Amino acid sequence: MKEKLFGKTITELQQVAKSLNLPPFTARQIADWLYKKDVSMIDEMTNLSKKARELLNEKFEFGLISPTKVQKSTDGTKKYLFPTIQHKFIETAMIPERDRKTVCVSSQVGCKMGCLFCYTAKQGFQGQLSAGEIINQIKSIDEAGEVSNIVYMGMGEPFDNLEEVLKSIEILTSEWGFAMSPRRITVSTIGIIPGMLTFLEKCEAHLAVSLHTPFNDERRQLMPVEVAYPIEEVVNEIKSWDFGRQRRVSFEYILFEGLNDSTRHINELTRLLQGLKCRINLIRFHPVPGTPLKSPGEETIHHFKDMLNKKGILTTIRASRGQDIYAACGLLSTKELSSS
């Protein structure tokens, strides 16, 4: 099986050029074709000599992977199904809004974190995605040329695949790559502290943390990661970090009826996040088979938002998109496909 060029950094492409005895500037030319042009074959890299293209074709392939299925929601959200190198599948959501198109990318095949409210968790962990497979989810969709924002909130825990996630962001944000602003990228984590600190140090993208309850005992029931990395420690690490003026930190909070939607939770969230410039995104729970959890009514959701705002914590309600095609928060899964 030939090695894929797509997903390689400029340093790796320089090594490719060197291994084939091609001029050093060839690496920049290849990067330009991979990440800036609308081509999909080495033979289409027309400013490379015929000999250079022959040498590349002998050992490499371009490396784009087409989706095998596309579903469209009544609200315009689209869900793409992509095969992976390991013969498994991943899902990617494209969410259109009036002035932007956001792509929600997966970073793993399945997930090993076991969160109670997440459908991806039900299929377990089945493999890591390469940087190429991550950015392929942006390059190989119909809206590739219109993507304005990227969120690492699909299948998997990004900081459990840290090296490839950082590499994919390097390609997305470098001038030799997609040249996107890191301020248009948000990476979500359940709070793996070592990975989070490395991300904050090496990358300028926004950080989002899945919080869901400020109480240690409740969070352990919802998210096993709480045992290793308590939310209080996660927040304290974030408070000690200088985010600068433009980089944002936000907290995702799925509301569950009778579990995390009380005045007690509002007060504890206020205490926990005191002194931290951040935003809370409230998310409606989308029922997952096999869990007893329920979403509270709209009145409760809006009251929760209003009370947090009154206490000085900027809080918004995230619109539910693509629920009818299982593309909304927590619903991505390829369990049936991956186990067949």
Side-chain angles (χ1 to χ4, degrees), residues 260-269 303-304 307 311:
N260 65 350
D261 57 356
S262 71
T263 303
R264 187 173 72 100
H265 291 87
I266 293 166
N267 292 336
E268 183 62 11
L269 279 170
H303 174 73
F304 202 88
M307 291 303 293
K311 288 185 176 287

Side-chain angles (χ1 to χ4, degrees), residues 9 21 60 112 128 148 150-151 157 179 184 199 206 221 276 278 299 314 326:
T9 64
N21 292 316
F60 300 92
K112 65 176 80 160
Q128 303 284 23
S148 61
I150 297 165
V151 293
E157 161 56 51
R184 289 161 58 193
F199 164 80
H206 299 310
Q221 292 174 25
L276 180 62
C278 64
E299 190 177 333
L314 178 61
Y326 275 65

Side-chain angles (χ1 to χ4, degrees), residues 67-81 91-94 96 142-143 322-327 331-334 337:
T68 56
K69 186 179 179 182
V70 185
Q71 291 175 273
K72 189 168 183 179
S73 166
T74 53
D75 65 22
T77 299
K78 288 169 78 173
K79 186 170 73 169
Y80 288 87
L81 181 73
E91 292 185 324
T92 305
M94 189 288 300
D142 297 336
E143 300 77 14
Q323 193 170 352
D324 57 326
I325 58 167
Y326 275 65
L331 293 184
L332 297 183
S333 176
T334 57
L337 289 164

Side-chain angles (χ1 to χ4, degrees), residues 5 13 22 24 79 90 94 96-97 140 143 146 148-149 192 199 212 228 234 239 241 265 299 308 311 319 339:
L5 290 173
L13 291 173
L22 296 173
K79 186 170 73 169
I90 53 167
M94 189 288 300
E97 295 169 87
S140 293
E143 300 77 14
E146 307 165 61
S148 61
N149 296 76
I192 298 176
F199 164 80
H212 310 312
V234 175
K239 283 181 178 179
W241 196 268
H265 291 87
E299 190 177 333
L308 282 169
K311 288 185 176 287
S339 58

Side-chain angles (χ1 to χ4, degrees), residues 97 100 153 159 163 166 170 196 219 224 251-252 324:
E97 295 169 87
R100 63 169 64 183
M153 296 181 183
F159 296 163
E163 189 176 330
L166 289 176
E170 180 188 351
M196 183 180 76
R219 199 165 185 265
F251 292 90
E252 294 153 344
D324 57 326

Side-chain angles (χ1 to χ4, degrees), residues 111-118 121 156-158 188-193 208-232 234 251-256 259-260 269 272 283 285 291 293:
C111 187
K112 65 176 80 160
M113 297 300 146
C115 297
L116 186 62
F117 48 82
C118 180
E157 161 56 51
S188 175
T189 179
I190 58 174
I192 298 176
I193 291 174
V209 178
S210 295
L211 203 164
H212 310 312
T213 175
F215 294 108
N216 183 271
D217 56 337
E218 291 177 355
R219 199 165 185 265
R220 269 201 311 269
Q221 292 174 25
L222 291 171
M223 307 168 72
V225 74
E226 178 70 13
V227 176
Y229 303 113
I231 192 61
E232 186 103 32
V234 175
F251 292 90
E252 294 153 344
Y253 197 97
I254 300 174
L255 281 162
F256 305 109
L259 177 65
N260 65 350
L269 279 170
L272 178 68
I283 302 169
F285 175 60
T291 67
L293 302 168

